[in-house]
Amino acid sequence: MFYSKGEGKMGEPIRVGIGGLGRSGYGIHAEYLKDDPDFRIVAAADELPERRKDAQERFGCRTYRSYAEMLAAGGFELFVNATPSRFHVEASLAGLKAGYHVLSEKPSATTLAEFDRITAAAEEHGVLFFLFQNSRFYPYFRKIREVIASGVLGEIICIRSNWSGFARRWDWQTLQRECAGNLLNTGPHPVDQAVVLFGDAYPEVFCRMAAYHFDFGGDADNFCALTLYGKGRPTIEVQVSSFLAYPQGEQYNIQGTCGGLSGGPAELRWKYFDPKSAPKHTLWKPWSFDRQYCSETLDWQEESWRFAEASSNANGFVSLSRGVYRNLYGVLRNGAGREITLEQVRRQIFVMEEAHRQNPLPVNE
């Protein structure tokens, strides 16, 4: 029995067609889906014959030379858009207009106008559009949100997030014409987390980018320093650099009025004090008291969290896919709410579009 045009019955596996069998389509999506009994890979598309052969042999699915051929053939309800980045918008629109639910890889769009066209198409054709923001499901990020929500750190003043290292590249992810670069490639992970931590508002954006690709021919950004800020909101600093030869502290450092948090995927630690039991002070007037410096002893409380299985892949992209796909299954089969909302992703697109507007980089011919 084939289902197409976004149809499906409760309790039955979701039949999936994957467009693009590259690093993401094959190495992340298919790698996860093959082991989840609530999904079944029934179709895949890629222009390279060796990739189609891999899919046929490993997944037993039908294969096509292009996602357009696969959409026309039907037989599935969910189109996983893992095409190269510059095709994400047109492929998502094609899938939605053909009546399929669509899960898009990142970046789903590069401008708000593109993103709004996609969401409008989904609404017009009565299907759903999903975003593959798998880093939302990192165990450490969920713990960070839990600690912040508990209120022990007080009002959050500043959040620093560093997703950097030293790496030279010479592939398509260095070309602006491919919708590539650090911000559009790695950036959707930290920017998604940043917009969640910033809250339900569009932030002010300040960004500086640079592109230095030696003589390899690239022209997209490989250094990005991004700041989000707004009235009554934390200042959030995100850096995605390919030139960080030495680590600069932990991936996250969070500053609050009553304490702070530091850490990353493997481990977090945080400390805080109770302002109700802290020493009371009055402002010294007119100058310092007896030439002293302000000094006090706070009753710090310290806690920590460690990922239970540091040697496992549960912090890796394949296992993080579970969070996305289990929520997607719940939405399509059981009417569950979205964990990754379209409005959150729209704010992410807004941030990245504004960052690029502020940093027009030369384009190689």
Side-chain angles (χ1 to χ4, degrees):
M1 180 187 302
F2 282 169
Y3 293 112
S4 62
K5 310 304 183 187
E7 299 174 358
K9 295 182 179 180
M10 185 175 295
E12 290 190 348
I14 294 175
R15 294 174 176 260
V16 181
I18 302 176
L21 293 170
R23 290 181 290 219
S24 177
Y26 188 83
I28 298 177
H29 293 275
E31 190 66 28
Y32 171 79
L33 290 168
K34 68 181 177 58
D35 296 323
D36 190 326
D38 285 327
F39 293 86
R40 185 174 302 163
I41 302 171
V42 300
D46 199 283
E47 65 180 20
L48 299 180
E50 61 270 26
R51 292 182 177 182
R52 298 197 298 273
K53 184 173 182 293
D54 282 344
Q56 290 169 351
E57 293 176 351
R58 194 170 185 204
F59 312 125
C61 64
R62 305 184 308 278
T63 60
Y64 304 87
R65 289 174 55 87
S66 70
Y67 72 81
E69 292 179 10
M70 185 179 72
L71 293 176
F76 56 92
E77 57 182 299
L78 175 66
F79 171 42
V80 173
N81 180 4
T83 60
S85 296
R86 68 185 172 97
F87 299 115
H88 284 176
V89 173
E90 65 180 68
S92 290
L93 287 170
L96 296 167
K97 291 177 180 179
Y100 299 97
H101 303 304
V102 173
L103 172 66
S104 176
E105 257 294 350
K106 308 169 293 292
S108 59
T110 60
T111 68
L112 285 181
E114 291 175 344
F115 186 77
D116 289 346
R117 284 174 59 205
I118 293 170
T119 56
E123 184 173 355
E124 179 183 353
H125 294 277
V127 288
L128 297 179
F129 181 59
F130 298 92
L131 292 305
F132 191 66
Q133 295 292 165
N134 49 344
S135 290
R136 185 80 65 87
F137 298 92
Y138 265 119
Y140 82 95
F141 183 65
R142 288 178 171 266
K143 189 63 180 181
I144 285 174
R145 295 179 68 186
E146 177 187 317
V147 173
I148 291 175
S150 74
V152 296
L153 302 183
E155 182 180 347
I156 303 303
I157 303 300
C158 181
I159 299 172
R160 288 181 172 174
S161 174
N162 197 317
W163 296 60
S164 303
F166 195 96
R168 305 197 306 169
R169 297 188 72 156
W170 45 92
D171 61 357
W172 64 271
Q173 282 285 8
T174 65
L175 300 172
Q176 292 185 58
R177 66 174 179 268
E178 297 292 344
C179 297
N182 281 17
L183 184 57
L184 290 176
N185 180 25
T186 302
H189 298 289
V191 177
D192 175 68
Q193 293 184 356
V195 298
V196 170
L197 297 176
F198 189 82
D200 295 333
Y202 283 77
E204 298 291 329
V205 177
F206 176 80
C207 182
R208 284 297 175 262
M209 294 178 177
Y212 188 88
H213 293 279
F214 306 92
D215 57 355
F216 302 158
D219 61 5
D221 68 284
N222 53 2
F223 172 85
C224 177
L226 175 71
T227 301
L228 311 183
Y229 62 98
K231 185 176 181 180
R233 306 281 174 166
T235 297
I236 302 182
E237 302 173 359
V238 176
Q239 187 174 117
V240 188
S241 171
S242 297
F243 302 104
L244 189 69
Y246 288 102
Q248 186 178 351
E250 303 286 356
Q251 185 177 67
Y252 264 93
N253 191 287
I254 299 176
Q255 305 170 37
T257 56
C258 296
L261 178 149
S262 180
E267 186 175 10
L268 300 171
R269 54 197 173 96
W270 61 100
K271 67 178 186 177
Y272 54 91
F273 70 92
D274 182 355
K276 294 180 181 178
S277 60
K280 306 301 180 184
H281 303 285
T282 57
L283 185 64
W284 285 340
K285 298 178 181 180
W287 313 111
S288 300
F289 177 75
D290 198 22
R291 300 190 185 94
Q292 296 180 34
Y293 290 94
C294 297
S295 178
E296 65 178 349
T297 299
L298 294 173
D299 184 18
W300 289 108
Q301 304 298 310
E302 297 194 52
E303 297 186 45
S304 64
W305 169 93
R306 180 170 294 178
F307 186 63
E309 300 176 48
S311 62
S312 80
N313 191 42
N315 268 342
F317 282 161
V318 174
S319 292
L320 291 177
S321 303
R322 174 178 173 78
V324 176
Y325 277 108
R326 296 315 305 170
N327 182 237
L328 186 152
Y329 182 86
V331 172
L332 292 183
R333 288 291 188 264
N334 304 318
R338 294 174 181 258
E339 291 205 38
I340 301 164
T341 70
L342 295 178
E343 179 57 28
Q344 289 170 335
V345 180
R346 192 178 191 275
R347 292 198 294 272
Q348 176 200 131
I349 301 300
F350 163 79
V351 168
M352 295 193 297
E353 181 180 11
E354 176 60 19
H356 281 95
R357 187 195 67 78
Q358 294 177 16
N359 295 270
L361 297 174
V363 178
N364 291 346
E365 297 298 333

